[in-house]
């Protein structure tokens, strides 16, 4: 290794792992754990977009992700309701880590990384492919499967499965609104 390269390795290297995490999946957890082993510090940022509808509130997603990260001493979890590149600037991070499951994910994530760089040229994106066993797990599919009573235990951590089932039960117990005639 050249001396210039080793100097880079001696500095603390903090990265940003953004996502909606609605809900957090075993695939998300896989990427988080791997990133925590690769980098000195990982800041998970839960994206909050007021124009978007979420199954879980930002507080619920924060609680779930915080619980999942509690055994990872170099991981912190936050929420943010703005551009991810602005959050990165605010905390002094210039590298975003994104998990990819398949080529379709890569296309989307590549375009997003290009947009982020156009917004802030100091931002770099690193892609981590998910482990193969998590390559078909999508948050939207998990919510659908759980809604139909399917087994999601292999797709999400236990605390997330419980939160998902609790929320589905609570929603089912709510009185149905009938549309006006």
């Amino acid at each position: 290794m050249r001396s210039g390269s080793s100097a880079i390795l001696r500095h603390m290297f903090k990265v940003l792992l953004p996502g909606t995490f609605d809900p957090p999946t075993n695939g998300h957890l896989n990427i988080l754990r791997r990133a925590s082993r690769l980098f000195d510090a990982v800041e998970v940022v839960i994206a909050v977009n007021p124009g978007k509808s979420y199954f879980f509130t930002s507080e619920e997603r924060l609680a779930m992700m915080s619980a999942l990260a509690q055994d990872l001493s170099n991981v912190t979890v936050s929420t943010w309701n703005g551009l991810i590149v602005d959050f990165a600037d605010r905390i002094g991070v210039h590298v975003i880590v994104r998990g990819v499951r398949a080529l379709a994910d890569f296309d989307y994530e590549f375009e997003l990384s290009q947009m982020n760089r156009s917004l802030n040229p100091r931002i770099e994106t690193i892609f981590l492919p998910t482990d193969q066993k998590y390559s078909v797990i999508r948050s939207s599919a998990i919510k659908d499967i759980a809604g139909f009573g399917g087994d999601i235990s292999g797709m999400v951590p236990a605390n997330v499965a419980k939160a998902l089932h609790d929320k589905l039960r609570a929603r089912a117990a709510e009185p149905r609104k009938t549309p006006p005639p």
Side-chain angles (χ1 to χ4, degrees):
M1 188 182 290
R2 295 187 338 242
S3 62
S5 300
S6 63
I8 293 171
L9 297 176
R10 283 191 291 244
H11 296 292
M12 181 163 174
F13 202 83
K14 184 174 184 176
V15 297
L16 190 61
L17 180 61
T20 56
F21 306 106
D22 188 38
T25 68
N26 285 339
H28 292 132
L29 188 54
N30 171 259
I31 296 296
L32 174 59
R33 286 186 173 149
R34 289 171 47 214
S36 76
R37 287 191 307 264
L38 289 170
F39 304 104
D40 296 318
V42 178
E43 176 76 33
V44 174
V45 61
I46 298 166
V48 179
N49 181 344
K52 197 171 174 186
S53 131
Y54 297 101
F55 190 78
F56 289 102
T57 67
S58 58
E59 294 81 12
E60 290 168 327
R61 292 180 284 145
L62 177 66
M64 285 185 282
M65 285 304 293
S66 295
L68 294 174
Q70 73 182 2
D71 65 330
L72 303 170
S73 62
N74 63 336
V75 174
T76 53
V77 183
S78 303
T79 59
W80 181 252
N81 63 350
L83 294 172
I84 294 301
V85 294
D86 291 343
F87 183 80
D89 258 352
R90 174 180 261 195
I91 65 169
V93 170
H94 301 286
V95 176
I96 294 174
V97 172
R98 297 295 294 175
V100 291
R101 293 172 294 217
L103 198 52
D105 276 356
F106 180 79
D107 286 344
Y108 170 77
E109 294 295 344
F110 182 79
E111 288 177 11
L112 191 58
S113 73
Q114 295 300 305
M115 180 61 67
N116 285 337
R117 261 185 81 68
S118 73
L119 293 169
N120 183 338
R122 294 182 307 274
I123 297 293
E124 295 292 344
T125 301
I126 295 174
F127 300 109
L128 282 180
T130 191
D131 281 352
Q132 185 177 5
K133 63 185 169 184
Y134 304 123
S135 65
V136 295
I137 296 177
R138 291 187 178 277
S139 294
S140 56
I142 290 168
K143 290 180 275 195
D144 290 342
I145 292 166
F148 286 108
D151 181 13
I152 57 169
S153 61
M155 300 176 203
V156 295
N159 69 319
V160 174
K162 180 182 178 334
L164 190 53
H165 288 301
D166 289 350
K167 185 160 278 239
L168 286 167
R169 270 193 297 281
R171 285 186 174 182
E174 291 176 358
R176 299 263 185 228
K177 294 181 182 175
T178 55

